[in-house]
Amino acid sequence: MKLQYTSIKDESALTLTNFNCGPSQQLLKDKNLYKILWSNGHEVDIIVDGYRLTLKHNQIVFCTPLNVLEIPRDSKMLALVFNREFYCIRDHDAEVSCNGFLFFGSSLPPVITLSDKEAKSFEAMFLMIQEEFETKDHIQGEMLRVLLKRMLIKASRLAQKDFPEPEIPKPQLDMVRQYHVLVEQHFREKHAVAQYAELLFKSPKTLSNLFKKTGDKSPLKIINERIVLEAKRLLFYSDKTAEEIGYELGFNEPTHFSKFFKNQVGHPPATFKKNFQETLM
């Protein structure tokens, strides 16, 4: 299945698919697409950035254009795939409050588990989207955007329920999201929590206490994991040497990068890449 809306005027695109055909599999090669994947059937294994991720029944994962995905054709899932021109997560953050949360929120894509009641709600939203593809008129694109926004708002609310303190004031929640966004923007050159605290006009201790309330990783761990994720992507999917990757990620000396990577992963970059390649053979 591949139902697609496109606009020649603004080059926007939204696709509803289950990745069981060749054209839908081609979407996984496009590096400009956001993806919302719902395992609404049986448990399914997908590959995200070189690692296996098992989505259990009624789990949803949110992937950015940065994530490299492999999804089997026989997977039992539904997916919404859209580009920035259709709906820009950053530009419309005030509408759905998911930038730095559902998207660009950590080193790994967030996964939400739906209850039976919540699954019925998402099923209804997906059905409404599917029905909208049958209506070809001048407001079709806007109707699809409204339905997408509704789904993102619903998902953001569900994700917030998992916090140790679900009733965190909005200004504090926005601070957490903003921190994630700043890390995404500056992780290549800013490796210290104090540098981000300065951008947010807060102390490192204030940030640390705030992240404990959300049950999130520590501010430093978020930085380190984002650097490691990018390093792994480059090791997996590029021909760059460990030295080149280190310089790209803000390390002035190759030995500093190698030591950092080994401390975080357990192996130096060259050994890690060799082990990964052997698993593919």
Side-chain angles (χ1 to χ4, degrees):
M1 177 183 68
K2 183 187 179 188
L3 303 176
Q4 188 170 42
Y5 163 84
T6 58
S7 170
I8 298 176
K9 181 179 179 181
D10 58 12
E11 298 183 333
S12 62
L14 173 74
T15 302
L16 175 64
T17 183
N18 54 10
F19 296 111
N20 65 355
C21 62
S24 61
Q25 285 283 316
Q26 288 298 314
L27 293 171
L28 300 176
K29 299 180 180 180
D30 192 325
K31 298 181 180 180
N32 298 304
L33 300 176
Y34 293 88
K35 303 169 188 71
I36 303 173
L37 312 175
W38 177 23
S39 178
N40 65 325
H42 297 290
E43 181 177 289
V44 58
D45 288 333
I46 64 176
I47 304 298
V48 182
D49 298 325
Y51 286 93
R52 187 179 306 279
L53 172 64
T54 298
L55 285 179
K56 297 180 180 180
H57 177 60
N58 278 337
Q59 285 191 326
I60 300 180
V61 62
F62 299 82
C63 298
T64 74
L66 297 174
N67 297 121
V68 181
L69 300 180
E70 298 177 37
I71 300 175
R73 282 198 184 190
D74 60 350
S75 62
K76 302 294 184 182
M77 64 166 51
L78 282 176
L80 278 178
V81 183
F82 59 97
N83 61 9
R84 184 182 186 278
E85 288 74 19
F86 182 82
Y87 195 79
C88 180
I89 297 298
R90 291 172 177 170
D91 291 351
H92 295 91
D93 184 58
E95 296 177 339
V96 294
S97 299
C98 67
N99 190 29
F101 192 23
L102 297 181
F103 299 99
F104 302 112
S106 68
S107 58
L108 296 174
V111 176
I112 294 176
T113 301
L114 304 178
S115 66
D116 290 341
K117 180 180 179 181
E118 293 159 354
K120 290 181 180 178
S121 176
F122 272 81
E123 183 179 2
M125 285 187 281
F126 269 94
L127 180 59
M128 291 174 67
I129 290 172
Q130 183 172 348
E131 291 177 344
E132 191 58 37
F133 278 104
E134 300 173 3
T135 306
K136 305 291 183 181
D137 58 22
H138 68 285
I139 61 171
Q140 182 189 32
E142 189 55 38
M143 280 296 296
L144 289 170
R145 286 187 186 88
V146 169
L147 294 171
L148 174 62
K149 285 191 288 185
R150 180 182 175 185
M151 183 175 293
L152 292 173
I153 292 170
K154 179 72 172 177
S156 294
R157 289 173 174 170
L158 292 178
Q160 192 172 342
K161 288 182 179 179
D162 293 333
F163 290 167
E165 297 183 25
E167 301 301 324
I168 294 176
K170 186 177 184 299
Q172 293 185 11
L173 181 59
D174 287 344
M175 181 75 65
V176 170
R177 296 194 303 113
Q178 191 175 0
Y179 181 86
H180 280 292
V181 172
L182 288 173
V183 170
E184 184 63 36
Q185 293 172 342
H186 302 291
F187 70 89
R188 290 177 177 84
E189 69 272 5
K190 299 183 187 298
H191 297 176
V193 174
Q195 293 173 294
Y196 295 94
E198 184 178 355
L199 293 174
L200 293 168
F201 303 102
K202 300 293 181 181
S203 70
K205 184 176 181 180
T206 297
L207 290 179
S208 179
N209 291 336
L210 180 56
F211 274 80
K212 286 180 181 178
K213 288 184 178 181
T214 66
D216 207 339
K217 308 175 185 74
S218 71
L220 180 59
K221 189 173 181 62
I222 290 169
I223 298 171
N224 290 344
E225 287 193 352
R226 185 62 187 89
I227 296 170
V228 168
L229 174 61
E230 197 66 21
K232 288 179 178 179
R233 281 181 184 151
L234 293 170
L235 288 168
F236 291 164
Y237 301 111
S238 79
D239 295 326
K240 294 182 179 181
T241 65
E243 182 176 349
E244 291 171 329
I245 293 172
Y247 284 128
E248 184 172 331
L249 296 179
F251 293 86
N252 295 325
E253 296 292 337
T255 54
H256 293 169
F257 170 65
S258 182
K259 182 178 180 180
F260 167 83
F261 191 91
K262 184 176 181 180
N263 286 339
Q264 296 295 319
V265 180
H267 301 283
T271 303
F272 181 82
K273 182 172 185 177
K274 181 176 180 293
N275 291 342
F276 174 74
Q277 291 173 332
E278 289 177 351
T279 62
L280 302 178
M281 298 176 63

